[in-house]
Amino acid sequence: MKILGIETSCDDTSVAIYDEKLGLVFHSTLNQNKVHAPFHGIVPELAARSHLEKLILLVKKVVLKFSIDMKLGVHSGVLNAIAYTTGPGLVGSLLVGATIACSLSFSLGIPCILVNHLEGHLLSFMLNNTKDTFPFLVLLVSGAHTQLIDAQRLGKYSILGDTLDDSVGNIFDYIARLLGLGYPGGKKLSNLAKHGWSGKYFFPRPMTKYPNLNFSFSGLKTHVKNVILSSSGSCQEKANIAKAFEEAVVDTLVIKCELALRKTNLRNILVCGGVSSNSLLRKKLKFLTRSYNGRFIVSKKKFCTDNAAMIAYVGFLRYKLGLYFEDTLISVHPNLLINDMI
Ligand code: KG4
Ligand code: ZN
């Protein structure tokens, strides 16, 4: 059984095929960094247009590589279903993926499967690791989300804590921009932090004195911005600030994860989303999990940021469970939550 996955929720255009026996047999992602860099952030209208161009290129690549005969449809036996990201995300971007997925499903006579992008992030580790099983405490950290989730079993998720303002990915990108690192800046900021001197700056760990599991990063963002504006602007100063900033953010996330472990019966920590590729965060969460005799679970770095492999994989799970519609259905949910039913 083979499932084609399509991901276009934000600014990465990605297509993948997951095969029940062989695993991931195709995966290709085109980013839009060049399109959005001049604006220092994602421009939704440009993102949707760029998806349209890039997705058609990627779909053509798949059709050629797997000799998919558009006329024979399901009888060609190559694909069983098409999974696409239904949300959350930018409405225009989601609509491009949904429309192309549904057009293909209609012409091939195979079902469409709606996939929650957040569940994709959450289960992406399973692309390489099927031995770790539920339950998990999930730290979902991406460009749009900063959440703590109690994942009891497949499809049973409850949100324990959320950000009250900015997401972690968002502040990494914002501070990176102020440091002149360009967009997207999370990874570049983390690389710069490696050259910083410890103890030159110390930034607050917001909300860590409160006994709840919510986050708030807007105060830290302003604080670091003021420090950058009053600093000398030398390369070393920038690296020192990047180091102190990364440490403050990572410590905040780790402190809240520990609180969540104490408040629940959970012991295993799963971290996912674009920011989960951050090496310091991985190192500190691994250490925390060990001290609670739990397991630390994280995807390969290439599956941390947005990708269609995770969408094809969740599509495969939903197909096996019969969680799809026989009729072609264009349906997008820009504000979908991890625990929403689709
Ligand atoms: O999950 P993702 O690809 O997109 C969303 O669904 O939002 O996450 C993208 C975010 C960006 O904000 C990017 O700067 C951040 O992940 N990111 C990182 C690192 N790699 C990517 N942040 C910190 N450290 C990294 N190594
Ligand atoms: Zn994402």
Side-chain angles (χ1 to χ4, degrees):
M1 182 218 301
K2 278 191 184 61
I3 308 292
L4 174 74
I6 292 182
E7 156 64 32
T8 61
S9 65
C10 192
D11 63 339
D12 287 300
T13 316
S14 186
V15 169
I17 295 185
Y18 189 84
D19 180 301
E20 181 171 26
K21 293 203 182 85
L22 305 172
L24 195 62
V25 290
F26 179 87
H27 184 210
S28 184
T29 302
L30 297 172
N31 71 47
Q32 305 179 356
N33 294 349
K34 280 198 182 132
V35 175
H36 303 289
F39 306 95
H40 309 293
I42 298 162
V43 182
E45 174 65 25
L46 296 183
R49 287 189 209 183
S50 181
H51 280 307
L52 200 52
E53 283 166 24
K54 294 184 165 80
L55 187 53
I56 289 173
L57 286 178
L58 292 181
V59 167
K60 276 188 181 161
K61 209 165 142 183
V62 170
V63 167
L64 280 175
K65 184 163 179 192
F66 290 85
S67 315
I68 297 170
D69 191 326
M70 301 299 280
K71 289 192 196 103
L72 285 176
V74 74
H75 304 296
S76 66
V78 176
L79 291 177
N80 295 72
I82 300 180
Y84 69 89
T85 302
T86 185
L90 302 169
V91 66
S93 295
L94 290 168
L95 272 170
V96 173
T99 309
I100 292 186
C102 290
S103 312
L104 273 174
S105 111
F106 184 69
S107 62
L108 292 171
I110 56 177
C112 252
I113 307 169
L114 275 58
V115 174
N116 184 330
H117 178 84
L118 303 177
E119 191 174 31
H121 275 305
L122 203 150
L123 300 179
S124 59
F125 76 93
M126 291 186 178
L127 284 160
N128 297 98
N129 161 9
T130 43
K131 71 177 194 307
D132 280 311
T133 50
F134 290 89
F136 312 111
L137 169 70
V138 180
L139 174 66
L140 169 62
V141 273
S142 70
H145 290 83
T146 307
Q147 287 182 336
L148 280 165
I149 298 159
D150 179 348
Q152 282 297 326
R153 58 178 161 77
L154 192 67
K156 174 113 176 58
Y157 314 118
S158 12
I159 299 170
L160 303 172
D162 207 338
T163 178
L164 305 178
D165 40 56
D166 296 287
S167 70
V168 177
N170 200 293
I171 57 160
F172 262 99
D173 289 337
Y174 181 83
I175 299 300
R177 173 153 69 89
L178 294 179
L179 291 171
L181 300 175
Y183 173 85
K187 194 174 171 193
K188 290 176 191 155
L189 188 149
S190 185
N191 288 338
L192 178 65
K194 293 191 178 89
H195 304 284
W197 294 335
S198 276
K200 280 279 165 189
Y201 290 97
F202 183 86
F203 298 135
R205 276 63 175 153
M207 302 270 288
T208 49
K209 298 266 187 297
Y210 292 87
N212 63 47
L213 297 172
N214 291 327
F215 303 92
S216 166
F217 291 107
S218 65
L220 176 65
K221 185 167 125 177
T222 312
H223 181 93
V224 179
K225 176 185 168 185
N226 291 336
V227 171
I228 293 172
L229 294 179
S230 60
S231 77
S232 72
S234 70
C235 293
Q236 189 57 56
E237 274 298 87
K238 284 184 179 179
N240 296 342
I241 293 170
K243 187 174 184 70
F245 168 76
E246 185 182 46
E247 281 171 352
V249 174
V250 168
D251 279 356
T252 305
L253 295 172
V254 174
I255 291 168
K256 289 289 182 180
C257 281
E258 178 159 20
L259 184 59
L261 290 182
R262 284 210 232 114
K263 279 178 176 262
T264 61
N265 59 353
L266 299 164
R267 287 294 165 264
N268 304 325
I269 297 182
L270 161 61
V271 62
C272 60
V275 183
S276 67
S277 56
N278 184 281
S279 306
L280 184 68
L281 180 63
R282 286 172 171 237
K283 191 172 135 196
K284 290 204 173 184
L285 283 178
K286 195 171 182 180
F287 185 77
L288 171 69
T289 322
R290 279 209 187 131
S291 62
Y292 277 77
N293 290 325
R295 277 168 296 137
F296 173 64
I297 301 137
V298 67
S299 335
K300 285 196 162 184
K301 287 197 177 179
K302 65 178 172 186
F303 299 131
C304 287
T305 45
D306 291 349
N307 66 83
M310 65 187 194
I311 304 303
Y313 183 72
V314 176
F316 155 74
L317 295 178
R318 289 180 76 86
Y319 186 74
K320 287 225 304 192
L321 295 168
L323 295 171
Y324 60 90
F325 305 98
E326 285 298 342
D327 290 338
T328 295
L329 179 69
I330 298 181
S331 175
V332 298
H333 305 270
N335 300 316
L336 196 69
L337 301 176
I338 183 77
N339 47 3
D340 280 340
M341 297 292 286
I342 46 168

